[in-house]
Amino acid sequence: AKMRAHPLFPCVALLLLQEVLNRRLFSTVRETKRLTYDANFHLTSFETIMGGWYLVTVTAKPELAVAALEACEETLQAARSWDKISRDNLRSAQFELISKHQGAMQTNKHWVDMMAGLQLDEIPGKDLRSIEDFTDVVQAVEVEDVQRMLECLDTDKGKAWTCIGVSGVPSG
């Protein structure tokens, strides 16, 4: 509960949610239903501005695009309702996020990104704790925290904007 007050907590909880949903989409839409080559879920700016968006992208054959879109919508709805985030989902996401972070800490780019804005008053709560406490904050997030974050996203069918784009030259 102490870590919930940490300025990094909302960002980390959203990163974990993103990781869980990426795994769910990949597992359902690609591996189980075999509708796509790839499926990704990305959250943007929710932790820094009042608003933001999420983006789900899939790479599929044009004739499977509508079915892939529907499978993505169903997967997001399931995670909010009958197939909620489990402790195993969270533990896997935590391990993945910490592993990515530890690998990235070996690069100058990651250090520069982590330190960007540390001295700006316009970024409240960003200080050295954002670097020092990252792993502890990741490990402190609980299933209920990630599930609450998910429930704040409007994933209801018909409320989210959807688009199917086809690249390349149509045959025929």
Side-chain angles (χ1 to χ4, degrees), residues 23-101:
R23 288 169 177 256
R24 289 269 183 105
L25 285 168
F26 190 83
S27 174
T28 302
V29 182
R30 183 179 190 278
E31 293 179 347
T32 303
K33 297 189 176 193
R34 300 192 182 279
L35 295 171
T36 67
Y37 304 112
D38 195 17
N40 291 292
F41 181 89
H42 181 72
L43 286 162
T44 303
S45 298
F46 277 96
E47 77 282 6
T48 56
I49 61 173
M50 295 297 287
W53 64 90
Y54 64 90
L55 177 66
V56 177
T57 58
V58 298
T59 306
K61 293 180 181 177
E63 62 270 17
L64 297 177
V66 172
L69 171 63
E70 290 170 354
C72 289
E73 290 173 329
E74 290 167 10
T75 301
L76 294 176
Q77 282 303 304
R80 285 184 65 191
S81 55
W82 61 271
D83 190 15
K84 294 187 182 270
I85 297 167
S86 71
R87 188 160 312 286
D88 286 342
N89 294 151
L90 178 60
R91 295 295 169 242
S92 294
Q94 287 169 319
F95 176 80
E96 186 68 24
L97 193 57
I98 290 169
S99 295
K100 285 178 184 176
H101 175 70

Side-chain angles (χ1 to χ4, degrees), residues 7-170:
L8 192 57
F9 189 86
C11 178
V12 165
L14 288 168
L15 288 171
L16 289 167
L17 173 60
Q18 181 172 280
E19 188 66 39
V20 167
L21 292 177
N22 265 320
R23 288 169 177 256
R24 289 269 183 105
L25 285 168
F26 190 83
S27 174
T28 302
V29 182
R30 183 179 190 278
E31 293 179 347
T32 303
K33 297 189 176 193
R34 300 192 182 279
L35 295 171
T36 67
Y37 304 112
D38 195 17
N40 291 292
F41 181 89
H42 181 72
L43 286 162
T44 303
S45 298
F46 277 96
E47 77 282 6
T48 56
I49 61 173
M50 295 297 287
W53 64 90
Y54 64 90
L55 177 66
V56 177
T57 58
V58 298
T59 306
K61 293 180 181 177
E63 62 270 17
L64 297 177
V66 172
L69 171 63
E70 290 170 354
C72 289
E73 290 173 329
E74 290 167 10
T75 301
L76 294 176
Q77 282 303 304
R80 285 184 65 191
S81 55
W82 61 271
D83 190 15
K84 294 187 182 270
I85 297 167
S86 71
R87 188 160 312 286
D88 286 342
N89 294 151
L90 178 60
R91 295 295 169 242
S92 294
Q94 287 169 319
F95 176 80
E96 186 68 24
L97 193 57
I98 290 169
S99 295
K100 285 178 184 176
H101 175 70
Q102 289 171 340
M105 291 295 281
Q106 305 305 312
T107 68
N108 288 336
K109 181 189 180 318
H110 188 70
W111 275 101
V112 169
D113 289 345
M114 295 282 288
M115 293 188 318
L118 285 179
Q119 298 173 327
L120 295 176
D121 293 334
E122 291 80 10
I123 306 177
K126 185 164 184 184
D127 54 32
L128 286 177
R129 294 177 298 165
S130 298
I131 299 170
E132 297 169 342
D133 299 344
F134 185 85
T135 300
D136 292 336
V137 174
V138 170
Q139 292 171 334
V141 174
E142 298 177 10
V143 171
E144 297 77 26
D145 301 319
V146 179
Q147 192 68 44
R148 280 190 207 118
M149 291 286 192
L150 175 57
E151 289 167 7
C152 291
L153 295 179
D154 197 353
T155 61
D156 293 338
K157 191 170 183 166
K159 290 188 177 179
W161 292 45
T162 60
C163 173
I164 294 176
V166 179
S167 63
V169 178

